[in-house]
Amino acid sequence: MLGEYVLPASGSAWQETLICALTSLDHKTPAARRALARSVTAGWLRTERHGRRSRVHLRPATAEMLRDGAERIYSFGDPWEWDGRWLLVVLRVPEERREVRHQVRTRLAWAGFGSLGGGLWISPHVERERELRDATGAGSAAELVSFRAEIGDVGDPAKVMAEAWDLDAVAAAYRDFIARFGRLRPASREAMFRAQTQLVHEWRKFPFLDPDLPADMLPARWPRKRAHDLFHERHAQWHGAAQEHFGALEASSRGPAQRVA
């Protein structure tokens, strides 16, 4: 919701706007307030008092993260050409620093890497090496070492793919996405806001799930293109009404003085 509606506008919104938006997405009001409070405590958001109201602002690091995420989400699934090279990454983290291991593994998954076990990760996207350069900053308990390589004559590449990624589960997730949003026909502006938010929420999971393998390595009738085209078609259809609904919530959350101004 922050990336789809708050970031493209001013980078801020009234607290009540966000709470109303969350409740329209079937979250209870107390849960919505707790979610905002946790986001402020975690340092993702900051609040600014305006009389009895609070204005919620994205912190610079949060805005940058959302911009990077939006670029990845909206470009994911576009055609690309592969030069035959793989990026291998060795991850080392002390056993007692499990929280660090989890953070780095999550980052590797977001970048499309698959795990071969033993701290070895693989991706066909060599260009994503630069995304890992700040993953092990000064004082970090994690150590990453990267290699650029080609698969040799020994071994079965298909077996490597099967060990790194569960492609059957990815295909099933794409088909569920197509079935759900292919038949969805929201009629009202609020319904389109809900549909648009759920559409983006579900699509943003695929960069974690799908390694975006070269076309000649994919199983027959791979459903990503159908899901990709459906996502962009529905997003374009619902975009205007969804933004208008969020704007109406924002307008209704202003005080009388601000509305007159």
Side-chain angles (χ1 to χ4, degrees):
M1 191 171 66
L2 295 175
E4 186 72 11
Y5 305 105
V6 178
L7 180 66
S10 62
S12 66
W14 294 106
Q15 178 174 287
E16 289 306 314
T17 298
L18 299 177
I19 292 172
C20 288
L22 287 169
T23 55
S24 71
L25 295 169
D26 299 326
H27 296 277
K28 301 295 185 183
T29 298
R33 292 188 182 279
R34 287 195 299 270
L36 285 175
R38 286 197 298 268
S39 297
V40 172
T41 301
W44 300 339
L45 305 172
R46 68 175 179 86
T47 57
E48 180 182 37
R49 294 295 299 179
H50 290 258
R52 298 177 61 186
R53 294 176 174 82
S54 289
R55 189 81 180 163
V56 178
H57 298 266
L58 300 176
R59 291 194 177 275
T62 305
E64 181 179 0
M65 177 187 69
L66 291 172
R67 280 191 290 268
D68 290 345
E71 181 179 355
R72 179 75 184 280
I73 290 167
Y74 293 114
S75 65
F76 183 75
D78 292 348
W80 64 287
E81 293 186 6
W82 187 48
D83 64 2
R85 293 187 302 164
W86 294 85
L87 180 62
L88 301 176
V89 173
V90 178
L91 170 63
R92 295 191 181 95
V93 182
E95 182 62 31
E96 65 273 12
R97 299 301 302 273
R98 295 182 180 179
E99 77 287 355
V100 175
R101 182 181 293 107
H102 173 73
Q103 291 169 2
V104 180
R105 283 177 173 175
T106 300
R107 186 160 186 170
L108 287 166
W110 168 247
F113 285 80
S115 174
L116 294 177
L120 181 62
W121 295 73
I122 186 171
S123 169
H125 293 273
V126 176
E127 75 280 0
R128 293 180 187 165
E129 185 176 25
R130 62 179 178 269
E131 299 180 25
L132 307 176
R133 288 175 181 166
D134 61 344
T136 56
S140 173
E143 178 184 353
L144 292 177
V145 181
S146 61
F147 303 86
R148 302 171 191 177
E150 296 180 3
I151 290 183
D153 295 331
V154 179
D156 182 0
K159 183 178 180 180
V160 174
M161 301 303 100
E163 290 177 357
W165 299 284
D166 187 349
L167 294 182
D168 289 340
V170 175
Y174 276 130
R175 294 188 181 103
D176 288 345
F177 180 90
I178 293 166
R180 176 180 178 183
F181 293 101
R183 62 172 177 260
L184 194 58
R185 298 291 186 275
S188 68
R189 193 170 66 181
E190 181 178 4
M192 290 186 191
F193 167 79
R194 287 197 301 269
Q196 180 83 318
T197 308
Q198 292 164 356
L199 177 81
V200 175
H201 177 68
E202 293 302 321
W203 181 254
R204 74 182 183 89
K205 299 176 183 179
F206 286 109
F208 282 100
L209 298 174
D210 185 353
D212 196 13
L213 294 173
D216 59 358
M217 288 190 173
L218 293 172
R221 297 184 296 279
W222 186 247
R224 181 176 60 213
K225 186 179 186 305
R226 288 174 55 207
H228 169 272
D229 293 348
L230 177 65
F231 168 75
H232 286 281
E233 177 186 323
R234 292 290 188 261
H235 192 275
Q237 286 178 347
W238 301 334
H239 177 77
Q243 294 292 332
E244 288 174 6
H245 179 73
F246 189 83
L249 293 178
E250 180 76 340
S252 66
S253 296
R254 298 188 182 103
Q258 289 98 335
R259 280 199 294 268
V260 172

